[in-house]
Every structure is written in structure tokens, then in C-alpha cells.
Amino acid sequence: ETGVTQSPTHLIKTRGQQVTLRCSSQSGHNTVSWYQQALGQGPQFIFQYYREEENGRGNFPPRFSGLQFPNYSSELNVNALELDDSALYLCASSLKRSGANVLTFGAGSRLTVL
Amino acid sequence: AQSVSQHNHHVILSEAASLELGCNYSYGGTVNLFWYVQYPGQHLQLLLKYFSGDPLVKGIKGFEAEFIKSKFSFNLRKPSVQWSDTAEYFCAVNEWTGTASKLTFGTGTRLQVTL
């Protein structure tokens, strides 16, 4: 079975720009979550998508937005980039959105904002 | 909201030494607990999980963890570490927000195993 794949692996943007990160979920997984991992920190929950709708969000501003497509793949969009947005962005997929649930993580997209 | 504390930020051990990494979460009720490992240059991988039942759970590569409900703890152990265990280890607790399931992670413990 294929795992979670993310693209691009690395990218550099300047402050104020916009970025789109992409994620293909593991085969059979219908729920996608996004996490931000700043340097030296644990991953922090951004939001979760299920049935193409956002159904939960962490402490992130509206300039962080996402999409989930009918094939369960997903995008994370960040507008008006700030220096503090520099981080590793992790996509995770799971078989269901609730209960005893195991997340499978992708390798991440490392974003540097200059 | 849940919070997770990992008290050891950086641990250095010699090969064959025993390992115990601490993890505490903030409040009780039904919890699902995880340890994830991130090897250098690799993605987060599940090491082990606790959902219910036997509080002593075994994972991959000889790791185990014990859930102690009264102490809100889920410590990770390994009797004898290997050089290849050098990695960052994250404890996490699953929380249902009412509409979504999210993992709350600790800040991680960097384990360095020397030969």
C-alpha cells in the first residue's frame, strides 16, 4: 500500500507571498489532517478534513485554509506569509475521523519564509 | 484542551543502556496515547499506541510503554538501546474536539545513542 505523499518537499517564499502544499492520502483513508512542526517543537494541529469539509481547526488564523478533494487528497494554502510560518508542514491521513484512530504521516513540506 | 509534557529534551546514552522517556498528559477521561519516532531525515512513524486494555503495550523495535492512569503518564521504555535508535521521540494524546480528532504532541525528546 502507498503511504502519504506530500509535495513539494522544500520551498522558499518571501514574506507576503502565498503557498500551496499538496498531500495524497494513504489508500483507503478518508480523513486528512495537517500539522505544523516548527524547529525544535512537536507538531501542532492546524485542521482536519473529512468528506471535503473542514471539521476541526487548531489555533491558526484564517489565512491558513485547505481543501479536500473527492479522491481524499488535500491542499493546504497559506496566504500573506509571515516569517513565523517557516516550519515543516505535515499531512496525515487516517481511516476515520474519530475514536481510536492511527494517523499515518507524510514526510512533510519544509517551508522557509524570507 | 489537552497538553503533553515530555520532561527529557535531550538524552545521551551508550549502546546497551536502558532507556526511559517520560510523558505526562494534562487530564483524564478516555484517552488514546501514542509514541511516534522521527529518525533523521525520515517521516514520523508510529512506535506504539494505547487505546484500552492491558496498560503495558509493546511496539516495534523492542520498545514498550506503560499507561498509568492515576499519574496521567505514558512512559516509553527500552531495556537496551542501539545506535540505530538515535532519533526524536514524540508522545501524543488523541483528543476529540466534538467535530474532529486531533493529536496533541509533546515537544519531543532527542535521543542520541553513542557507540
Side-chain angles (χ1 to χ4, degrees):
Chain A
E1 61 182 17
T2 57
V4 176
T5 57
Q6 294 186 242
S7 64
T9 54
H10 295 83
L11 69 166
I12 300 173
K13 293 284 188 178
T14 56
R15 200 168 47 179
Q17 285 189 311
Q18 178 265 344
V19 68
T20 297
L21 309 177
R22 295 178 176 82
C23 170
S24 293
S25 60
Q26 182 167 315
S27 177
H29 286 189
N30 61 14
T31 303
V32 173
S33 302
W34 286 90
Y35 288 79
Q36 181 196 66
Q37 186 176 12
L39 202 61
Q41 300 295 318
Q44 290 197 357
F45 175 72
I46 302 175
F47 41 52
Q48 180 184 83
Y49 275 82
Y50 173 71
R51 292 187 175 178
E52 302 177 49
E53 289 190 359
E54 180 185 306
N55 60 9
R57 172 179 282 262
N59 191 24
F60 283 83
R63 60 189 185 85
F64 285 77
S65 63
L67 288 170
Q68 186 184 31
F69 301 100
N71 66 353
Y72 307 131
S73 66
S74 178
E75 286 181 357
L76 165 66
N77 299 288
V78 187
N79 293 322
L81 283 167
E82 300 177 0
L83 297 179
D84 285 348
D85 295 333
S86 295
L88 181 67
Y89 288 85
L90 299 170
C91 174
S93 70
S94 55
L95 276 172
K96 50 184 181 176
R97 70 169 176 143
S98 63
N101 206 9
V102 175
L103 269 61
T104 301
F105 284 86
S109 295
R110 185 166 296 283
L111 171 65
T112 302
V113 182
L114 302 176
Chain B
Q2 280 277 10
S3 64
V4 177
S5 297
Q6 291 184 244
H7 309 295
N8 315 103
H9 298 293
H10 189 192
V11 173
I12 302 174
L13 294 173
S14 300
E15 254 198 342
S18 64
L19 170 72
E20 180 159 2
L21 301 182
C23 172
N24 289 91
Y25 57 97
S26 57
Y27 65 83
T30 302
V31 287
N32 299 318
L33 296 159
F34 305 82
W35 277 95
Y36 278 87
V37 61
Q38 195 168 34
Y39 297 104
Q42 296 189 28
H43 61 279
L44 274 171
Q45 301 173 39
L46 181 67
L47 205 51
L48 47 78
K49 65 186 184 294
Y50 172 79
F51 288 163
S52 63
D54 189 344
L56 185 62
V57 292
K58 296 189 183 300
I60 61 172
K61 303 185 180 184
F63 286 90
E64 64 179 32
E66 185 176 12
F67 169 54
I68 303 179
K69 189 173 183 178
S70 61
K71 294 184 178 180
F72 299 94
S73 71
F74 190 54
N75 292 353
L76 180 71
R77 299 195 292 249
K78 186 171 184 178
S80 175
V81 295
Q82 299 174 308
W83 180 79
S84 59
D85 293 326
T86 295
E88 186 132 23
Y89 293 81
F90 293 95
C91 180
V93 58
N94 193 33
E95 181 179 4
W96 175 246
T97 68
T99 57
S101 177
K102 71 171 193 175
L103 282 180
T104 299
F105 285 86
T107 54
T109 297
R110 184 173 299 277
L111 173 64
Q112 184 178 349
V113 180
T114 60
L115 296 172

